[in-house]
Amino acid sequence: MTDPTATTPDRRPGGRTARVRAQVLDAVRAELTESGHEGLTMEGVATRAGVHRTTVYRRWRDVGGLLVDVIDAAGEVDWQPPDTGSLRGDLTALNQEIQESLVVQPSFALALMAASFHSEQAARAQRKLWADRYAQCEILVDRAGGRGELPSRDTDARALLITATAPLYHQLVLLRTDPDPRLPERAAAAAVVAAVAGAFAVRPEEGD
Amino acid sequence: MTDPTATTPDRRPGGRTARVRAQVLDAVRAELTESGHEGLTMEGVATRAGVHRTTVYRRWRDVGGLLVDVIDAAGEVDWQPPDTGSLRGDLTALNQEIQESLVVQPSFALALMAASFHSEQAARAQRKLWADRYAQCEILVDRAGGRGELPSRDTDARALLITATAPLYHQLVLLRTDPDPRLPERAAAAAVVAAVAGAFAVRPEEGD
């Protein structure tokens, strides 16, 4: 184990290392959203960040390293799932957040997804971020169970969350349809209806 | 209007033009699935197809033109939506087909999606192919209505189909989870439960 008190001064939060990282990751986000994954270069990021190239190479190694760190940084944000008082309200709010992140022009979320088709490192980091977010959202289902909104506490929370959110990604990322302002609520409502009808009940043989 | 009888001999189905197209598109599919969109070049396709480079340039112009034609060709296949006798069976069969196309290694469907992140032409062609396929599948919902499986004939067929199929794409394309052999049926079942409960009912004010 590393002794946490052994941290050198420039590694403490808010120190030089943290400042350099913030500058570099801001530059990565800006380059990614403006020119996409193909336009991302170590040199471009260093120039935009105003950081020496050798620092960027030493610390992030290559474009894959930059992508991974920018995704990891997204996971470090203190994000909290919505808490509106009802499952339908929570899932609608979640879907609205997803829709906004995909519809904003240019979309950093879309640029990351495109990048993860071409970088196995980025794909892995993104998979982890998504898994974490879905895990955080399971509390929505627990709370709904506690309020008696669901027929049984044994609801497959992940399956319910995927059903509620997948239509947003499918329509906006893959089918590229125009955003439908009613979709966040409709997709949420359909998932709740299915959940209430027992569609995500964990069958006894699976729990054993 | 062009006189259809004015077709030159080498443009008739099965003629030289059709043979060259088949050879070139086979080469595009092979190159795409093997090396992805980045590996696709006019020269590579011409060499693999055994067709002169100038023919490929004249007819398809650039890599975007090849991608569009390979997607258009996928739309020309005489695909029929499943007809199993129940909505749940039909949607499960449809999802199984989708899952197979995404899980096969290497996956041409995945390679096309990756390409459409980088080529606006390919994205447009793919959007059209998907719209056509979903339109073809609306008959599943009509038939289910006719059999009395749905509460009302005024079911938003597209919304139901998206809900049934989106989890497959979300899990396998974006989240890249390991394929779950039960997912095709589960996603289908959840959509049917939601449909039966009226989640996709077209509200009267929308039809007016």
Side-chain angles (χ1 to χ4, degrees):
Chain A
M1 293 285 282
T2 321
D3 176 3
T5 62
T7 312
T8 54
D10 77 346
R11 294 216 163 251
R12 75 187 169 211
R16 202 184 78 85
T17 299
R19 274 203 313 279
V20 167
R21 183 181 181 223
Q23 281 164 258
V24 167
L25 296 188
D26 280 347
V28 173
R29 282 181 209 104
E31 296 273 307
L32 253 188
T33 46
E34 276 172 27
S35 5
H37 177 245
E38 299 95 327
L40 196 67
T41 64
M42 299 296 272
E43 282 74 13
V45 167
T47 305
R48 189 189 272 258
V51 167
H52 205 285
R53 270 168 40 146
T54 52
T55 307
V56 180
Y57 276 104
R58 196 177 56 235
R59 188 141 163 213
W60 287 275
R61 211 161 169 218
D62 55 22
V63 165
L66 288 172
L67 285 169
V68 167
D69 205 28
V70 86
I71 297 168
D72 285 350
E76 292 159 15
V77 170
D78 182 30
W79 182 82
Q80 291 295 327
D83 188 4
T84 66
S86 77
L87 182 58
R88 182 173 166 153
D90 287 353
L91 294 173
T92 300
L94 181 64
N95 277 348
Q96 272 157 349
E97 233 181 276
I98 292 169
Q99 176 138 307
E100 273 158 35
S101 77
L102 296 173
V103 162
V104 64
Q105 297 269 348
S107 163
F108 170 62
L110 261 185
L112 268 192
M113 277 179 241
S116 75
F117 270 100
H118 298 281
S119 157
E120 189 37 52
Q121 266 183 295
R124 220 177 306 125
Q126 194 173 43
R127 215 145 54 215
K128 189 187 165 299
L129 173 61
W130 248 323
D132 289 351
R133 286 286 159 90
Y134 277 112
Q136 271 185 283
C137 286
E138 292 186 5
I139 195 169
L140 307 189
V141 182
D142 289 346
R143 280 198 223 118
R147 283 188 302 256
E149 290 184 58
L150 296 173
S152 143
R153 293 237 177 189
D154 293 331
T155 296
D156 181 339
R158 187 66 56 103
L160 195 170
L161 292 166
I162 296 279
T163 300
T165 57
L168 279 288
Y169 291 103
H170 195 48
Q171 297 265 29
L172 297 169
V173 181
L174 298 177
L175 307 184
R176 320 253 172 118
T177 48
D178 290 330
D180 173 354
R182 296 165 307 183
L183 184 60
E185 204 199 341
R186 288 185 166 183
V192 172
V193 163
V196 168
F200 308 111
V202 179
R203 290 171 194 97
E205 71 271 21
E206 290 168 23
D208 296 351
Chain B
M1 293 283 283
T2 323
D3 176 3
T5 62
T7 312
T8 54
D10 76 345
R11 294 217 161 249
R12 73 186 172 213
R16 204 185 76 85
T17 299
R19 274 201 314 278
V20 167
R21 183 181 181 224
Q23 281 165 259
V24 167
L25 296 188
D26 279 350
V28 173
R29 285 182 206 102
E31 296 273 306
L32 253 188
T33 46
E34 275 172 26
S35 5
H37 176 246
E38 298 94 328
L40 196 66
T41 63
M42 299 296 273
E43 284 73 15
V45 167
T47 305
R48 189 189 273 257
V51 167
H52 205 284
R53 270 170 40 148
T54 52
T55 306
V56 179
Y57 275 104
R58 197 179 52 237
R59 188 141 163 213
W60 286 275
R61 211 164 174 214
D62 56 22
V63 164
L66 288 173
L67 284 169
V68 167
D69 204 29
V70 86
I71 297 169
D72 286 349
E76 291 159 17
V77 170
D78 183 30
W79 182 81
Q80 291 296 327
D83 188 4
T84 66
S86 77
L87 182 58
R88 182 173 167 154
D90 287 352
L91 294 173
T92 300
L94 181 64
N95 277 348
Q96 272 158 349
E97 233 181 273
I98 292 169
Q99 175 138 307
E100 272 157 36
S101 77
L102 296 173
V103 162
V104 65
Q105 297 267 349
S107 163
F108 170 62
L110 262 185
L112 267 193
M113 278 180 241
S116 74
F117 271 101
H118 298 281
S119 157
E120 190 35 53
Q121 267 184 296
R124 219 176 307 126
Q126 194 174 42
R127 214 144 56 214
K128 188 185 165 301
L129 173 61
W130 249 321
D132 290 350
R133 285 287 160 89
Y134 277 111
Q136 271 185 283
C137 286
E138 292 187 4
I139 195 169
L140 306 189
V141 182
D142 289 345
R143 280 199 222 117
R147 284 187 302 256
E149 290 185 58
L150 296 173
S152 143
R153 292 235 177 192
D154 293 332
T155 296
D156 182 339
R158 187 66 56 101
L160 195 170
L161 292 165
I162 296 281
T163 300
T165 56
L168 280 285
Y169 291 103
H170 195 48
Q171 297 265 30
L172 297 168
V173 180
L174 298 177
L175 307 184
R176 320 254 171 116
T177 49
D178 290 330
D180 172 354
R182 296 165 307 183
L183 183 60
E185 204 201 340
R186 287 185 168 184
V192 172
V193 164
V196 168
F200 308 111
V202 179
R203 290 172 194 95
E205 72 271 21
E206 289 167 25
D208 298 352

